[in-house]
Amino acid sequence: MASETYTPRELMVSAAAAEIEDGDTAFVGMRLPLIAFQLAVSTHAPDSMAVYESGVVRDGPADGFIHTMCDLPNLNHAVSTTGMLDIMSRLQRGDVDVGFLGGAEVDRYGNLNTTRVRAGDEEIRLPGSGGACDIACMAGRTVLLMPHEPRRFVEEVNYVTSPGHSADGSGRGNHPAPGGGPDALVTSKATFGFADGELFLRSVHPGVDREAMLADFPWAVRTAPEIGEGPVTTTPEPTDEELELIRTFDPDGFWT
Amino acid sequence: MASETYTPRELMVSAAAAEIEDGDTAFVGMRLPLIAFQLAVSTHAPDSMAVYESGVVRDGPADGFIHTMCDLPNLNHAVSTTGMLDIMSRLQRGDVDVGFLGGAEVDRYGNLNTTRVRAGDEEIRLPGSGGACDIACMAGRTVLLMPHEPRRFVEEVNYVTSPGHSADGSGRGNHPAPGGGPDALVTSKATFGFADGELFLRSVHPGVDREAMLADFPWAVRTAPEIGEGPVTTTPEPTDEELELIRTFDPDGFWT
Amino acid sequence: MSAEPAETLSDAVSRIPSGSSVATGLALEHAIPFAAGHELARQGTDDLTLIGPISDLLFDQLIGCGAVSRVRAAWVGNVSAGTGYRFREAVESDGIDVENHSNFSVALALRAGALGVPYLPTRSLLGSDVFAESDLFERGTDPFDGEEVALVPAIEPDWAIVHAQRASPEGDVHLWGNTGIVDPAVGAAENVLVTAEEVVEPAVIHSDPSRTAITREQVSAVVECPWGAHPSPVAGHYNRDNEYYLAYHGATDTQAAFDEWADEWVYGVEDREEYMERVDADLSITEPTVAAEVRYGQ
Amino acid sequence: MSAEPAETLSDAVSRIPSGSSVATGLALEHAIPFAAGHELARQGTDDLTLIGPISDLLFDQLIGCGAVSRVRAAWVGNVSAGTGYRFREAVESDGIDVENHSNFSVALALRAGALGVPYLPTRSLLGSDVFAESDLFERGTDPFDGEEVALVPAIEPDWAIVHAQRASPEGDVHLWGNTGIVDPAVGAAENVLVTAEEVVEPAVIHSDPSRTAITREQVSAVVECPWGAHPSPVAGHYNRDNEYYLAYHGATDTQAAFDEWADEWVYGVEDREEYMERVDADLSITEPTVAAEVRYGQ
């Protein structure tokens, strides 16, 4: 049964968690994915594991709120607390099934920019890649998360921090990385997939006006079968159980 | 004061220990060097450290006899017990001052063979390199230890397990490794140095007939100044303190 | 070949000259050596090149203090709040030189240094502007199967600064919880400064050699510095002070505002003790987990 | 994605098919998985490729049992006594194929596999016949400074067999004392078989995550096997049985003599328990050292 009141970010967490399959090893970074993994492993994906580039490996939720992957509740009772090269080795040798990425800008092929954006004549410096470039290159698939704002959807990102698919439909032909590239984009208004390397609309969040939402993109977003039109659903609302868990993991709504 | 009775291997241990300077990091492998490091750190080189390719780092003698670097007394109260890549990293980046090597055959330039030797028409297979090739390539200097037997001193080793100096006097020009190459050879009859990359006689062990001993070599061994004639001393006998320590470290004379 | 124990943090940090390259913040958001960083600023050490993976605030603070001329890092900001304003302003005004990395490329560059090889290959980077816009990396071909790889050259910092739970006076260090790239950075660095929650008897370290993360011959200075990582957390010692991160974010969006912040928290305190007197937060461990017993012996 | 716990050693080892490449003896003279090795022989698993750094006896025994067609290793023998007669005879009679390594080249090949790169560069090997007589390595030039390096291609074993102090049923493993090349081998291997002195509750492993050396998704089978490393030592559990190494050396200089030895120690015992009944040595830890306390918590 769906709850009646939830925040857009709670829905994003629920939608992101749904992208983790049972048995997956998930590469988790900052912000919402911190909550999404805990939700997934507590519900439909009990045998999933999370790896964090700080060196942490976990098989269950933290017993306390975490601002960052290195907060003590995330280290306490972890499976392993090791170093980054151990985690990046798993990623590079192909043992990470899914990785989460944020972004200030995304283009039609899932290229992400978290390094520097243009605002009129000025360039604004952002924090940079962190592990995003590595996850984008090497995770089995990636799930992108970002607030739904028109300025974030661009024909061409100002800087390719995290490479997506090739513009020519050759999939990941733009680089020799072992990863499968972007598989989903979850915004605060809709969830998108990728078909032949191009972003398509998969589901619209409840209560969102589809046409107005799509107008935020500078190109005509397709709805798939490869890559014309296909079915578009409504994103499931977070269940009561999910909301209860999300609010346990993030009691003050710091991230959500 | 020198002791009157000691075995040739006790003298070799004493002579090998003398090659460790205070403050050195020494790469220690099998057999006599296991005892030699313990002797050195207990006498003239209290600030030396030993690293073992198994991953052990020690700053003092083991409190019990060790057959191998991995015997529990060598792990107990160690400074660090880690892995081989940690130790080999120290070696490759140039942080190991001196390494010990054994050999079935050695030539004039300190090339060592521990892989396979000829005996008439047959080839005899030996255990192989272990870490010897790596130590030979990359330690700041190496000290070679072997029983004094004519068949071990050859014009050309049958297999270069552990590269020495160049035959052309170019020092270590035969490979781009960072190490300084062979610095001493301790046999059961004498101690040798290397000058311009060529082996020379440094000291003769007490009671050994110099000419008979040198006749074991298939070439005319020089005595240095670079590389003609130089002074040759008598190897110091192990002191009473040294013998007491050696017999503490190896109470049954297993190695000595 | 052992560390020289330092009497005070000031003494230890004074061994790092202006113009040094310094790797720090190596355990990511865990155990960041803020105390040592603030002391660098107090001593006026400048022209620093900072090297790290993600930097949670410390790089931003040192940039704000005018101590930095170059950054080689994957991410500089405030993990609780996003932007680091001092970093952003310095980049946008060309006040510092930035070499963009991914976390893995910093890790590999330091691993190459630690391993003593000129470079390491990776399957990451290619296809990104981290690679394309950089002068640092090279493209290479695997001679075995012809695969394309990116080659990451070694970085060998002059100094690495590490905060740890306990160290012996000689510089042997026990470290637990996640370690990020502490290990490669310590191996690659010419000198290592260790600040420790506790300086302990060597026998404590020797009782558990598999816990030893750093050995003395890599360490140039070791100093006891309780709370030396605040506001970042230290496993077994204290939790993260998230409010501090948020307050910093709210208080440093202009240089003038930052200067005021620094006058209070960096220049306005003489040492870590005085600093901690100003911190008003209960970060103590309320649910200790004791590690299962481990024995060695013979 | 977790290990399948095995009821018995026989069950666990039966998952390794003939023809497999198997990395083992990875902690050098420490914690060699002799029990698993003997079980391989008892099951008649053959055509194995054995991969390791130095092998202290186990490779020699498996060669003597006719289980091995190829060895990729740096050193095969008996550390207490020198020669391994079964290895020597097999090589001299062309009974097995040998790829000569140095310890570092085996370590780097497995590290390359673990790291997921096609090769790693090294400053070792060049100038030796380990390099010159091998078809395995390539010569390379560092594109940054033009330095010559040797390139070591990845090795990815089908199996790694590791003996450890304790593991959870899921396959998370605590390991201490020196570890040799356990870490790179486990990372590079397709499957990992863990024999442990103790199988423990997951909570034991979770109480000290920095002690975890292997995590479950790398492990295919885990089985409790006390004394599983005899005659090699296991930190915290038992000392090395040196007499056993010397007795083996004295008893195996011909194949007939080896067969007699194997009838007694390998084929003539049903399991490890029966094996240990035959061992007549006091290897117990008489001076236990307890690791200094470590806490996590929040």
Side-chain angles (χ1 to χ4, degrees), chain D residues 35-152:
Chain D
H38 290 188
E39 183 59 28
L40 276 171
R42 266 194 298 277
Q43 296 193 7
T45 316
D46 63 5
D47 191 25
L48 296 174
T49 294
L50 296 183
I51 299 161
I54 77 156
S55 161
D56 193 4
L57 224 69
L58 179 55
F59 284 17
D60 196 67
Q61 293 178 355
L62 285 168
I63 292 165
C65 290
V68 182
S69 58
R70 187 172 184 221
V71 168
R72 313 178 76 177
W75 195 97
V76 181
N78 179 330
V79 174
S80 294
T83 297
Y85 291 112
R86 296 305 91 223
F87 169 68
R88 178 178 155 186
E89 194 172 294
V91 178
E92 291 173 7
S93 65
D94 292 324
I96 55 169
D97 176 44
V98 178
E99 182 178 89
N100 285 313
H101 279 266
S102 73
N103 272 339
F104 196 27
S105 73
V106 179
L108 286 171
L110 292 168
R111 175 58 81 207
L115 198 53
V117 288
Y119 69 90
L120 286 172
T122 176
R123 299 185 194 273
S124 189
L125 300 177
L126 295 170
S128 77
D129 284 339
V130 178
F131 182 86
E133 293 202 1
S134 176
D135 297 328
L136 186 67
F137 311 111
E138 292 281 343
R139 197 177 290 266
T141 305
D142 153 28
F144 300 96
D145 290 320
E147 293 182 66
E148 207 177 3
V149 286
L151 307 180
V152 180

Side-chain angles (χ1 to χ4, degrees), chain A residues 23-25 47-49 59 63-64 72-73 75-81 86 89-90 92-93, chain D residues 1 111 113-117 172 183 187 205-207 209-210 212 215-218 296-298:
Chain A
D24 273 356
T25 295
D47 283 337
S48 59
M49 299 250 288
D59 64 353
D63 185 23
L72 298 197
L75 274 53
N76 199 28
H77 300 300
V79 170
S80 170
T81 46
D86 179 70
S89 292
R90 296 163 192 241
Q92 189 164 237
R93 69 182 183 239
Chain D
M1 57 173 294
R111 175 58 81 207
L115 198 53
V117 288
D172 301 319
D183 181 61
I205 306 297
H206 284 74
S207 76
S210 283
T212 304
T215 57
R216 69 189 73 163
E217 78 286 4
Q218 296 166 287
Y296 297 80
Q298 61 191 60

Side-chain angles (χ1 to χ4, degrees), chain B residues 26-47:
Chain B
F27 200 114
V28 179
M30 296 174 180
R31 299 170 175 264
L32 295 189
L34 292 174
I35 313 296
F37 165 72
Q38 300 189 83
L39 180 60
V41 77
S42 303
T43 55
H44 67 278
D47 284 337

Side-chain angles (χ1 to χ4, degrees), chain A residues 57-78:
Chain A
V57 179
R58 280 197 78 85
D59 64 353
D63 185 23
F65 175 62
I66 52 174
H67 305 94
T68 82
M69 62 177 93
C70 296
D71 281 28
L72 298 197
N74 209 44
L75 274 53
N76 199 28
H77 300 300

